[in-house]
């Protein structure tokens, strides 16, 4: 059973890795129109979703039981897998907001937050789990 959990987090990590690299690649380019903003936000939503799920799977291998994204983030912070727990919680909140709303001003602010705050925490997670794989 533990071997299956170990395989699961590594497979999920591969999906996270692909999505993270796309987000990183396109976040570094000049974003000049609504379609590009929407694309960055969609990459972010997907990458964040995979990030919390890979954290959940990794925590389960380590013996923790978590069910929700919020629980997962809190436990990962306590286990020192992630840093900046408050930024992770903000990232979760913004991900939830983008799924249910679209507003151009919000989209412009979110793209900046993704580039300046959320991409670095996702990079940290990627680097840390890459060493564990």
């Amino acid at each position: 059973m533990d071997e299956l959990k170990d395989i699961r987090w590594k497979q999920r990590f591969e999906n996270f890795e692909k999505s993270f690299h796309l987000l990183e690649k396109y976040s570094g380019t000049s974003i000049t129109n609504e379609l590009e903003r929407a694309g960055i936000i969609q990459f972010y939503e997907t990458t964040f979703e995979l990030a919390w799920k890979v954290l959940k799977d990794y925590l389960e291998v380590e013996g923790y039981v978590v069910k929700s994204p919020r629980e997962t983030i809190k436990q990962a912070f306590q286990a020192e897998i992630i840093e900046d727990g408050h930024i992770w919680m903000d990232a979760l909140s913004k991900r939830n907001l983008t799924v249910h709303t679209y507003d151009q001003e919000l989209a412009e602010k979110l793209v900046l937050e993704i580039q300046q705050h959320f991409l670095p925490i996702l990079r940290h997670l990627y680097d840390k789990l890459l060493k564990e794989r």
Side-chain angles (χ1 to χ4, degrees):
M1 180 79 162
D2 287 340
E3 188 176 325
L4 288 175
K5 286 181 180 181
D6 192 48
I7 291 169
R8 184 182 328 144
W9 92 259
K10 290 176 181 178
Q11 288 173 336
R12 180 114 50 198
F13 178 79
E14 289 176 12
N15 291 328
F16 166 71
E17 181 176 42
K18 291 173 193 171
S19 185
F20 171 74
H21 284 309
L22 288 170
L23 175 63
E24 187 176 52
K25 175 182 177 181
Y26 291 110
S27 290
T29 63
S30 177
I31 299 162
T32 59
N33 63 52
E34 193 173 288
L35 181 61
E36 291 169 344
R37 274 190 297 278
I40 293 299
I41 292 168
Q42 181 63 53
F43 280 138
Y44 167 69
E45 290 170 354
T46 302
T47 304
F48 188 84
E49 187 72 15
L50 289 165
W52 87 259
K53 287 181 178 178
V54 76
L55 273 172
K56 179 182 182 296
D57 292 343
Y58 183 82
L59 285 167
E60 287 176 354
V61 169
E62 297 295 311
Y64 298 98
V65 177
V66 289
K67 296 180 180 168
S68 70
R70 187 170 299 282
E71 259 184 69
T72 300
I73 291 167
K74 285 180 181 179
Q75 188 59 60
F77 179 71
Q78 289 175 355
E80 298 181 351
I81 298 167
I82 60 172
E83 298 174 349
D84 301 316
H86 62 285
I87 295 176
W88 274 91
M89 287 299 191
D90 188 36
L92 173 63
S93 176
K94 294 293 170 46
R95 192 280 322 246
N96 291 340
L97 185 63
T98 64
V99 171
H100 301 291
T101 344
Y102 185 82
D103 173 90
Q104 184 169 339
E105 186 177 328
L106 174 66
E108 290 170 3
K109 287 179 183 177
L110 182 58
V111 167
L112 287 175
E113 283 184 288
I114 290 167
Q115 293 169 322
Q116 296 171 359
H117 302 289
F118 304 153
L119 195 58
I121 63 169
L122 292 167
R123 161 57 70 191
H124 180 267
L125 175 64
Y126 171 75
D127 290 342
K128 184 165 186 88
L129 293 181
L130 185 63
K131 292 175 189 172
E132 298 292 321
R133 189 170 60 151

PDB file of all heavy atoms in Angstrom, residues 46-65:
ATOM      1  N   THR A  46      -4.575  25.487 -12.685  1.00  0.00           N
ATOM      2  CA  THR A  46      -4.192  24.085 -12.876  1.00  0.00           C
ATOM      3  C   THR A  46      -2.971  23.730 -12.038  1.00  0.00           C
ATOM      4  O   THR A  46      -2.941  22.697 -11.362  1.00  0.00           O
ATOM      5  CB  THR A  46      -3.908  23.807 -14.364  1.00  0.00           C
ATOM      6  OG1 THR A  46      -5.075  24.138 -15.124  1.00  0.00           O
ATOM      7  CG2 THR A  46      -3.521  22.368 -14.602  1.00  0.00           C
ATOM      8  N   THR A  47      -1.969  24.594 -12.070  1.00  0.00           N
ATOM      9  CA  THR A  47      -0.729  24.329 -11.333  1.00  0.00           C
ATOM     10  C   THR A  47      -0.984  24.309  -9.836  1.00  0.00           C
ATOM     11  O   THR A  47      -0.485  23.429  -9.128  1.00  0.00           O
ATOM     12  CB  THR A  47       0.349  25.382 -11.684  1.00  0.00           C
ATOM     13  OG1 THR A  47       0.543  25.376 -13.102  1.00  0.00           O
ATOM     14  CG2 THR A  47       1.662  25.081 -10.989  1.00  0.00           C
ATOM     15  N   PHE A  48      -1.782  25.247  -9.353  1.00  0.00           N
ATOM     16  CA  PHE A  48      -2.068  25.275  -7.920  1.00  0.00           C
ATOM     17  C   PHE A  48      -2.850  24.037  -7.495  1.00  0.00           C
ATOM     18  O   PHE A  48      -2.572  23.447  -6.445  1.00  0.00           O
ATOM     19  CB  PHE A  48      -2.825  26.548  -7.519  1.00  0.00           C
ATOM     20  CG  PHE A  48      -2.941  26.670  -6.033  1.00  0.00           C
ATOM     21  CD1 PHE A  48      -1.912  27.226  -5.298  1.00  0.00           C
ATOM     22  CD2 PHE A  48      -4.049  26.177  -5.363  1.00  0.00           C
ATOM     23  CE1 PHE A  48      -1.986  27.294  -3.916  1.00  0.00           C
ATOM     24  CE2 PHE A  48      -4.130  26.235  -3.987  1.00  0.00           C
ATOM     25  CZ  PHE A  48      -3.101  26.803  -3.248  1.00  0.00           C
ATOM     26  N   GLU A  49      -3.807  23.638  -8.301  1.00  0.00           N
ATOM     27  CA  GLU A  49      -4.593  22.435  -7.999  1.00  0.00           C
ATOM     28  C   GLU A  49      -3.679  21.213  -7.901  1.00  0.00           C
ATOM     29  O   GLU A  49      -3.788  20.407  -6.970  1.00  0.00           O
ATOM     30  CB  GLU A  49      -5.657  22.226  -9.081  1.00  0.00           C
ATOM     31  CG  GLU A  49      -6.637  21.128  -8.793  1.00  0.00           C
ATOM     32  CD  GLU A  49      -7.637  21.454  -7.693  1.00  0.00           C
ATOM     33  OE1 GLU A  49      -7.790  22.620  -7.301  1.00  0.00           O
ATOM     34  OE2 GLU A  49      -8.265  20.495  -7.213  1.00  0.00           O
ATOM     35  N   LEU A  50      -2.775  21.080  -8.840  1.00  0.00           N
ATOM     36  CA  LEU A  50      -1.832  19.962  -8.806  1.00  0.00           C
ATOM     37  C   LEU A  50      -0.855  20.091  -7.638  1.00  0.00           C
ATOM     38  O   LEU A  50      -0.457  19.080  -7.041  1.00  0.00           O
ATOM     39  CB  LEU A  50      -1.074  19.861 -10.129  1.00  0.00           C
ATOM     40  CG  LEU A  50      -1.911  19.386 -11.318  1.00  0.00           C
ATOM     41  CD1 LEU A  50      -1.183  19.663 -12.632  1.00  0.00           C
ATOM     42  CD2 LEU A  50      -2.243  17.912 -11.181  1.00  0.00           C
ATOM     43  N   ALA A  51      -0.497  21.318  -7.282  1.00  0.00           N
ATOM     44  CA  ALA A  51       0.438  21.537  -6.175  1.00  0.00           C
ATOM     45  C   ALA A  51      -0.146  21.044  -4.858  1.00  0.00           C
ATOM     46  O   ALA A  51       0.516  20.312  -4.111  1.00  0.00           O
ATOM     47  CB  ALA A  51       0.801  23.018  -6.067  1.00  0.00           C
ATOM     48  N   TRP A  52      -1.372  21.429  -4.561  1.00  0.00           N
ATOM     49  CA  TRP A  52      -1.922  20.997  -3.267  1.00  0.00           C
ATOM     50  C   TRP A  52      -2.177  19.494  -3.273  1.00  0.00           C
ATOM     51  O   TRP A  52      -2.029  18.837  -2.243  1.00  0.00           O
ATOM     52  CB  TRP A  52      -3.146  21.820  -2.846  1.00  0.00           C
ATOM     53  CG  TRP A  52      -4.484  21.372  -3.322  1.00  0.00           C
ATOM     54  CD1 TRP A  52      -5.194  21.892  -4.356  1.00  0.00           C
ATOM     55  CD2 TRP A  52      -5.306  20.323  -2.766  1.00  0.00           C
ATOM     56  NE1 TRP A  52      -6.388  21.232  -4.481  1.00  0.00           N
ATOM     57  CE2 TRP A  52      -6.487  20.265  -3.513  1.00  0.00           C
ATOM     58  CE3 TRP A  52      -5.148  19.424  -1.713  1.00  0.00           C
ATOM     59  CZ2 TRP A  52      -7.504  19.346  -3.258  1.00  0.00           C
ATOM     60  CZ3 TRP A  52      -6.165  18.509  -1.452  1.00  0.00           C
ATOM     61  CH2 TRP A  52      -7.321  18.483  -2.224  1.00  0.00           C
ATOM     62  N   LYS A  53      -2.519  18.936  -4.428  1.00  0.00           N
ATOM     63  CA  LYS A  53      -2.764  17.488  -4.488  1.00  0.00           C
ATOM     64  C   LYS A  53      -1.471  16.687  -4.372  1.00  0.00           C
ATOM     65  O   LYS A  53      -1.451  15.625  -3.747  1.00  0.00           O
ATOM     66  CB  LYS A  53      -3.519  17.130  -5.763  1.00  0.00           C
ATOM     67  CG  LYS A  53      -4.979  17.561  -5.698  1.00  0.00           C
ATOM     68  CD  LYS A  53      -5.754  17.205  -6.930  1.00  0.00           C
ATOM     69  CE  LYS A  53      -7.216  17.627  -6.766  1.00  0.00           C
ATOM     70  NZ  LYS A  53      -7.990  17.330  -7.969  1.00  0.00           N
ATOM     71  N   VAL A  54      -0.387  17.185  -4.954  1.00  0.00           N
ATOM     72  CA  VAL A  54       0.892  16.482  -4.791  1.00  0.00           C
ATOM     73  C   VAL A  54       1.360  16.601  -3.340  1.00  0.00           C
ATOM     74  O   VAL A  54       1.920  15.655  -2.782  1.00  0.00           O
ATOM     75  CB  VAL A  54       1.962  16.951  -5.804  1.00  0.00           C
ATOM     76  CG1 VAL A  54       2.570  18.284  -5.459  1.00  0.00           C
ATOM     77  CG2 VAL A  54       3.077  15.912  -5.940  1.00  0.00           C
ATOM     78  N   LEU A  55       1.105  17.738  -2.716  1.00  0.00           N
ATOM     79  CA  LEU A  55       1.414  17.880  -1.292  1.00  0.00           C
ATOM     80  C   LEU A  55       0.611  16.878  -0.467  1.00  0.00           C
ATOM     81  O   LEU A  55       1.157  16.236   0.438  1.00  0.00           O
ATOM     82  CB  LEU A  55       1.086  19.297  -0.812  1.00  0.00           C
ATOM     83  CG  LEU A  55       2.158  20.347  -0.974  1.00  0.00           C
ATOM     84  CD1 LEU A  55       1.607  21.731  -0.646  1.00  0.00           C
ATOM     85  CD2 LEU A  55       3.366  20.039  -0.110  1.00  0.00           C
ATOM     86  N   LYS A  56      -0.660  16.750  -0.771  1.00  0.00           N
ATOM     87  CA  LYS A  56      -1.534  15.799  -0.059  1.00  0.00           C
ATOM     88  C   LYS A  56      -0.986  14.378  -0.208  1.00  0.00           C
ATOM     89  O   LYS A  56      -0.849  13.650   0.770  1.00  0.00           O
ATOM     90  CB  LYS A  56      -2.954  15.876  -0.611  1.00  0.00           C
ATOM     91  CG  LYS A  56      -3.936  14.912   0.033  1.00  0.00           C
ATOM     92  CD  LYS A  56      -5.313  15.042  -0.638  1.00  0.00           C
ATOM     93  CE  LYS A  56      -6.351  14.161  -0.016  1.00  0.00           C
ATOM     94  NZ  LYS A  56      -6.116  12.736  -0.133  1.00  0.00           N
ATOM     95  N   ASP A  57      -0.675  13.994  -1.433  1.00  0.00           N
ATOM     96  CA  ASP A  57      -0.143  12.650  -1.674  1.00  0.00           C
ATOM     97  C   ASP A  57       1.188  12.437  -0.947  1.00  0.00           C
ATOM     98  O   ASP A  57       1.434  11.380  -0.369  1.00  0.00           O
ATOM     99  CB  ASP A  57       0.045  12.402  -3.174  1.00  0.00           C
ATOM    100  CG  ASP A  57      -1.266  12.315  -3.935  1.00  0.00           C
ATOM    101  OD1 ASP A  57      -2.323  12.128  -3.302  1.00  0.00           O
ATOM    102  OD2 ASP A  57      -1.229  12.442  -5.175  1.00  0.00           O
ATOM    103  N   TYR A  58       2.045  13.437  -0.979  1.00  0.00           N
ATOM    104  CA  TYR A  58       3.348  13.347  -0.309  1.00  0.00           C
ATOM    105  C   TYR A  58       3.156  13.219   1.200  1.00  0.00           C
ATOM    106  O   TYR A  58       3.814  12.398   1.849  1.00  0.00           O
ATOM    107  CB  TYR A  58       4.197  14.578  -0.652  1.00  0.00           C
ATOM    108  CG  TYR A  58       5.579  14.514  -0.064  1.00  0.00           C
ATOM    109  CD1 TYR A  58       6.585  13.799  -0.698  1.00  0.00           C
ATOM    110  CD2 TYR A  58       5.873  15.161   1.131  1.00  0.00           C
ATOM    111  CE1 TYR A  58       7.860  13.730  -0.159  1.00  0.00           C
ATOM    112  CE2 TYR A  58       7.142  15.095   1.681  1.00  0.00           C
ATOM    113  CZ  TYR A  58       8.132  14.384   1.030  1.00  0.00           C
ATOM    114  OH  TYR A  58       9.387  14.314   1.572  1.00  0.00           O
ATOM    115  N   LEU A  59       2.261  14.018   1.760  1.00  0.00           N
ATOM    116  CA  LEU A  59       1.985  13.944   3.197  1.00  0.00           C
ATOM    117  C   LEU A  59       1.460  12.570   3.595  1.00  0.00           C
ATOM    118  O   LEU A  59       1.811  12.048   4.657  1.00  0.00           O
ATOM    119  CB  LEU A  59       0.988  15.035   3.603  1.00  0.00           C
ATOM    120  CG  LEU A  59       1.545  16.450   3.674  1.00  0.00           C
ATOM    121  CD1 LEU A  59       0.408  17.466   3.767  1.00  0.00           C
ATOM    122  CD2 LEU A  59       2.512  16.609   4.842  1.00  0.00           C
ATOM    123  N   GLU A  60       0.630  11.980   2.756  1.00  0.00           N
ATOM    124  CA  GLU A  60       0.085  10.648   3.047  1.00  0.00           C
ATOM    125  C   GLU A  60       1.203   9.603   3.104  1.00  0.00           C
ATOM    126  O   GLU A  60       1.176   8.713   3.942  1.00  0.00           O
ATOM    127  CB  GLU A  60      -0.988  10.262   2.036  1.00  0.00           C
ATOM    128  CG  GLU A  60      -2.281  11.031   2.249  1.00  0.00           C
ATOM    129  CD  GLU A  60      -3.350  10.741   1.212  1.00  0.00           C
ATOM    130  OE1 GLU A  60      -3.078  10.015   0.227  1.00  0.00           O
ATOM    131  OE2 GLU A  60      -4.468  11.254   1.382  1.00  0.00           O
ATOM    132  N   VAL A  61       2.175   9.727   2.224  1.00  0.00           N
ATOM    133  CA  VAL A  61       3.322   8.818   2.258  1.00  0.00           C
ATOM    134  C   VAL A  61       4.079   8.989   3.575  1.00  0.00           C
ATOM    135  O   VAL A  61       4.582   8.025   4.148  1.00  0.00           O
ATOM    136  CB  VAL A  61       4.267   9.059   1.051  1.00  0.00           C
ATOM    137  CG1 VAL A  61       5.579   8.315   1.207  1.00  0.00           C
ATOM    138  CG2 VAL A  61       3.597   8.654  -0.246  1.00  0.00           C
ATOM    139  N   GLU A  62       4.103  10.213   4.071  1.00  0.00           N
ATOM    140  CA  GLU A  62       4.800  10.514   5.321  1.00  0.00           C
ATOM    141  C   GLU A  62       3.967  10.145   6.555  1.00  0.00           C
ATOM    142  O   GLU A  62       4.408  10.335   7.683  1.00  0.00           O
ATOM    143  CB  GLU A  62       5.171  12.004   5.375  1.00  0.00           C
ATOM    144  CG  GLU A  62       6.148  12.431   4.292  1.00  0.00           C
ATOM    145  CD  GLU A  62       7.507  11.774   4.453  1.00  0.00           C
ATOM    146  OE1 GLU A  62       8.067  11.801   5.563  1.00  0.00           O
ATOM    147  OE2 GLU A  62       8.004  11.213   3.453  1.00  0.00           O
ATOM    148  N   GLY A  63       2.722   9.657   6.332  1.00  0.00           N
ATOM    149  CA  GLY A  63       1.907   9.190   7.447  1.00  0.00           C
ATOM    150  C   GLY A  63       0.840  10.154   7.932  1.00  0.00           C
ATOM    151  O   GLY A  63       0.151   9.874   8.914  1.00  0.00           O
ATOM    152  N   TYR A  64       0.689  11.290   7.274  1.00  0.00           N
ATOM    153  CA  TYR A  64      -0.333  12.268   7.663  1.00  0.00           C
ATOM    154  C   TYR A  64      -1.636  11.968   6.942  1.00  0.00           C
ATOM    155  O   TYR A  64      -1.639  11.402   5.846  1.00  0.00           O
ATOM    156  CB  TYR A  64       0.108  13.688   7.317  1.00  0.00           C
ATOM    157  CG  TYR A  64       1.365  14.129   8.031  1.00  0.00           C
ATOM    158  CD1 TYR A  64       2.602  14.068   7.393  1.00  0.00           C
ATOM    159  CD2 TYR A  64       1.313  14.597   9.333  1.00  0.00           C
ATOM    160  CE1 TYR A  64       3.763  14.475   8.045  1.00  0.00           C
ATOM    161  CE2 TYR A  64       2.463  15.015   9.994  1.00  0.00           C
ATOM    162  CZ  TYR A  64       3.679  14.946   9.341  1.00  0.00           C
ATOM    163  OH  TYR A  64       4.820  15.347   9.985  1.00  0.00           O
ATOM    164  N   VAL A  65      -2.752  12.394   7.550  1.00  0.00           N
ATOM    165  CA  VAL A  65      -4.059  12.261   6.921  1.00  0.00           C
ATOM    166  C   VAL A  65      -4.625  13.666   6.751  1.00  0.00           C
ATOM    167  O   VAL A  65      -4.852  14.372   7.742  1.00  0.00           O
ATOM    168  CB  VAL A  65      -5.024  11.408   7.777  1.00  0.00           C
ATOM    169  CG1 VAL A  65      -6.392  11.353   7.134  1.00  0.00           C
ATOM    170  CG2 VAL A  65      -4.455  10.006   7.974  1.00  0.00           C
TER     171      VAL A  65
END
